[in-house]
Amino acid sequence: MKERKEIEKQLPQSPPPPYHVLHKLPPGDSPYVRAKHVQLVDKDPDAAIVLFWKAINAGDRIDSALKDMAVVMKQQDRTEEAIEAIKSFRDRCSKQAQESLDNVLIDLYKKCGRIDEQIQLLKQKLRMIYEGEAFNGKPTKTARSHGKKFQVTIKQETSRILGNLGWAYMQQENYLAAEAVYRKAQIIDPDANKACNLCQCLIKQARYLEAESVLEYVVHDKLPGSSDPKSRNRVKELRQELESRQPVALASTAIELNLEDAFLEGLDQLMSQWAPYRSRRLPIFEEISSFRDQLAC
């Protein structure tokens, strides 16, 4: 062992990574690079916002500067200011940046409780998918989470957006609308998180037996993410809530959903393209087709 250590000491050592790589900074010395340095190294968000403004005004990497500034503003509870900044300067950004700016804007609307605007933007993104304009016309896009890159498909993105739309309807206590889009999301790309949200939605409607049935898919590990600790904790919470209530069978009702025809048919056609051998009208559309007049989309 001693000889091995001595040999290792004599071997040439690899040079340390460059400063910008070590701190995950873009190379160079421009207004945007200085803003990122203040944000990531100096940890001074207020000063970083000022420098991001300077980068935008100087035309230096406007796409990244605007998005990064909005994210820092959100962290500083300057949400309304971030929304106005994106609306004011997004026309100076590239076409490729518009989709990511929409995602930031949706998060900002969610944080400050502007649910109606969040819903409209989510529906706009769904229409873009149907019209083939999402992902800049490509079938997948590269996303990043916790420093790791991964590929996202159109199906996954559609299901994610529908899940967010369901959450927004839940905030408005429009549980029938939330149920409709949660079920549609599960048809496209099912997972445990959306199943738990659908369960919560059914509980809100006092449809406890149906809620228990949906939850069983997570309990028996039949959906992606079922074994995740967060999912397990959520299942425990939902089961406790169900056990505290008297099960009630679903009664037939004449309630109308009012799901906008164009919106409904657009998603119907998109999903039929993904599953050409299924009937044109998928089960979820049959289920909600008699409920169209009260679901505000």
Side-chain angles (χ1 to χ4, degrees), residues 75-248:
Q75 294 168 349
Q76 295 301 103
D77 292 323
R78 296 167 61 177
T79 310
E80 297 286 351
E81 190 178 347
I83 290 171
E84 292 308 312
I86 291 178
K87 287 184 175 181
S88 298
F89 290 97
R90 69 180 306 166
D91 62 336
R92 295 174 60 182
C93 296
S94 68
K95 181 180 179 181
Q96 291 73 22
Q98 299 304 317
E99 197 167 328
S100 60
L101 288 172
D102 280 341
N103 291 334
V104 174
L105 203 53
I106 287 168
D107 285 340
L108 293 169
Y109 285 145
K110 180 178 180 179
K111 182 168 184 178
C112 65
R114 291 166 63 168
I115 305 300
D116 288 339
E117 290 162 287
Q118 182 187 0
I119 287 173
Q120 290 304 314
L121 190 49
L122 288 167
K123 286 168 55 184
Q124 177 183 314
K125 289 178 74 67
L126 288 168
R127 290 192 185 98
M128 288 178 64
I129 289 174
Y130 174 64
E131 293 168 2
E133 297 178 3
F135 294 7
N136 296 309
K138 298 179 181 178
T140 63
K141 73 172 182 179
T142 302
R144 187 188 297 270
S145 178
H146 303 294
K148 296 181 179 180
K149 292 182 179 181
F150 57 95
Q151 293 297 309
V152 178
T153 67
I154 287 288
K155 280 188 179 183
Q156 292 170 329
E157 180 71 356
T158 304
S159 183
R160 183 189 71 82
I161 294 171
L162 285 169
N164 288 340
L165 185 58
W167 181 92
Y169 281 132
M170 288 283 284
Q171 307 315 299
Q172 293 184 330
E173 300 184 358
N174 191 346
Y175 301 124
L176 288 171
E179 178 191 351
V181 294
Y182 276 139
R183 289 190 184 277
K184 219 182 311 283
Q186 287 295 77
I187 289 172
I188 297 172
D189 187 42
D191 63 43
N193 180 56
K194 289 191 291 289
C196 289
N197 289 340
L198 176 57
C199 175
Q200 182 69 61
C201 181
L202 292 168
I203 290 173
K204 292 292 186 180
Q205 299 176 68
R207 293 160 58 185
Y208 307 125
L209 294 178
E210 290 179 83
E212 179 67 32
S213 176
V214 170
L215 198 60
E216 286 299 306
Y217 282 90
V218 186
V219 171
H220 295 295
D221 203 14
K222 294 182 178 180
L223 294 173
S226 296
S227 58
D228 185 85
K230 290 183 179 179
S231 297
R232 291 300 181 190
N233 290 335
R234 187 89 185 279
V235 167
K236 289 180 182 178
E237 294 172 359
L238 291 168
R239 275 196 151 175
Q240 289 173 357
E241 189 169 359
L242 283 166
E243 289 170 0
S244 69
R245 300 172 184 270
Q246 178 66 35
V248 178

